[in-house]
Each structure stands twice: as C-alpha cells, then as structure tokens.
Amino acid sequence: MKKWFRYFVLFFIIGSIFSVIYSSFDESLPYRSWLYTFNYLASLIFTIEYGLRIAAAPVQYIQYKRAWMARLHYLFSFYGIIDFVAILPFVIIYFYNDSPHLHLVVLAYILIIFKLIRYSRSFQMIGSVLNQVKDELITSYTACGIMLGFSGILMYYIERNAQPQAFENIGDGFWWAIVAFTTVGYGDIYPVTPLGRLLSSIISLIGIAMIAIPTGIISSAFMNMLLEKKNKEKNE
C-alpha cells in the first residue's frame, strides 16, 4: 500500500475517534452536524478501502491458490471484521436513517480504534512480542485462573454465614478473589472472619508474585526484540 494512502486513511481513523470522543461533550453541540458529516465521509473512505482490500486479498494471502479463498480468509480475519464494522454507519445510516436502534450500530463504531493496529508499528511490535511468548503467557494465566477459582470458592464457604449479603453466591467470591488477587482493593466485598482475613492476606501476597510473572515475560521478550532490531540495524 502506498505511503500516502496509509496516511490518508490514518487521518480519517484518528479523526473519527476524536469526533466520537468530542461528541460526548456538551460543548460539541454546535458542531454536531460537522462531526456527523466527517464521520459519514470517513465511513465512505473506509468502505472504499474495504472494497480495495477484498479485491487485493489474493495478492496479500498468496498461500491460497484460489482468489475466493483468499477473499474469504480476509473477510473473517480480525482486520476484515474490524474493517467491516468501520463501514456499518455509512451503510446502515443510509438505508435505515429513522431506525430507533440505529445508536447500537453507531456504538459499534468505537471498534474502529482497532484499525490503528494495522497502521502503527508500535502496536504491531507489541502483537509480535505477545505472539512470541503466547505459550508462556497461557501457562501463567492458567495458573492465575486456577488460583482465582480455588480462592473464590473457598472464601465463599468461609464467609457466607458471617455476611450472607456480601457473599450471596460463588460469583461474589470470584469477584472478591479478582479484586484481592490484582491488589486493586475496591473494598465493596471483604472478609470479616479471622480465617477469611488470613486467606485474604495470603491471596494478596500470592497475587503480587503471580501478576509479576506475565509482566516479566512480556518485558523480557520486548527487550530481546529491541536488541535484535538494533543489532540488525547495525549489521545493515
């Protein structure tokens, strides 16, 4: 894709995100018509881009021998779905301008922010890093999930008699476990029994260590990628 076209589309992506944010302020009321026009124009640009990407899919996905398979792959890919969502306001508003449920379609328009991933090298680098360490992250988060499930169920049975309104079900125990495990500490649900407080202290301490594991994995992989990039630039 030509660089000028990338910047052209990127301008409308950033402008659309800004207009959606700004339209939530009362100060934007005199400019609502302009914001609507800009978003409508942006959706038109995204529609043209969407059509061009469908047409060029066989060139992008050369592993498919047939053109229709490449186009089908793009349509159901992550970027294909995001590109489709980006054109919904243009298509739906044109045909169903008086629909009472039109706001639901426009609400989905906020997913356009994910289009920035395609045009940002930083996002692409982060995605590459996560892809490199996905097995390690899956293992780490699986361990966290097991710990959350165990502590949430156990806390429910410890606290349900002491405060039945706070721990009405195991779902409340899961909510407490997440808050304690991530050390957020909202304070809306907390144990009052001695055994519950002991468990809460242990879970909070374990949570600090467990949350640090995926953070360290991602940081290490990110630093390795930066070093590889610098070495490659020096060799070139």
Side-chain angles (χ1 to χ4, degrees), residues 227-236:
L227 291 175
E228 290 178 1
K229 184 179 179 181
K230 289 183 179 179
N231 292 333
K232 186 177 180 179
E233 291 176 352
K234 288 181 179 179
N235 294 331
E236 292 177 353

Side-chain angles (χ1 to χ4, degrees), residues 87-220:
I87 71 172
L88 279 179
F90 174 71
V91 177
I92 301 299
I93 291 175
Y94 182 81
F95 290 103
Y96 301 100
N97 193 25
D98 297 327
S99 174
H101 304 293
L102 186 62
H103 65 282
L104 296 177
V105 178
V106 179
L107 181 62
Y109 195 48
I110 61 176
L111 294 177
I112 194 178
I113 196 170
F114 289 104
K115 286 177 70 70
L116 286 174
I117 299 176
R118 176 187 284 139
Y119 297 96
S120 174
R121 293 182 179 179
S122 300
F123 280 117
Q124 292 174 0
M125 182 177 293
I126 293 173
S128 179
V129 168
L130 294 177
N131 186 56
Q132 287 183 2
V133 296
K134 62 181 179 180
D135 294 334
E136 292 84 350
L137 290 177
I138 290 174
T139 302
S140 176
Y141 283 117
T142 299
C144 292
I146 293 173
M147 194 65 191
L148 285 173
F150 171 77
S151 58
I153 295 172
L154 184 59
M155 182 61 75
Y156 164 72
Y157 283 107
I158 292 175
E159 294 289 323
R160 62 174 181 171
N161 294 326
Q163 43 178 344
Q165 294 181 349
F167 289 87
E168 294 182 0
N169 48 55
I170 294 179
D172 293 331
F174 285 152
W175 169 247
W176 165 84
I178 293 173
V179 172
F181 200 77
T182 56
T183 65
V184 176
Y186 286 128
D188 54 344
I189 299 178
Y190 55 89
V192 296
T193 63
L195 185 58
R197 290 181 176 179
L198 176 61
L199 177 62
S200 179
S201 301
I202 295 174
I203 293 301
S204 298
L205 292 175
I206 295 177
I208 296 174
M210 294 294 290
I211 295 298
I213 293 176
T215 304
I217 293 173
I218 296 173
S219 300
S220 178

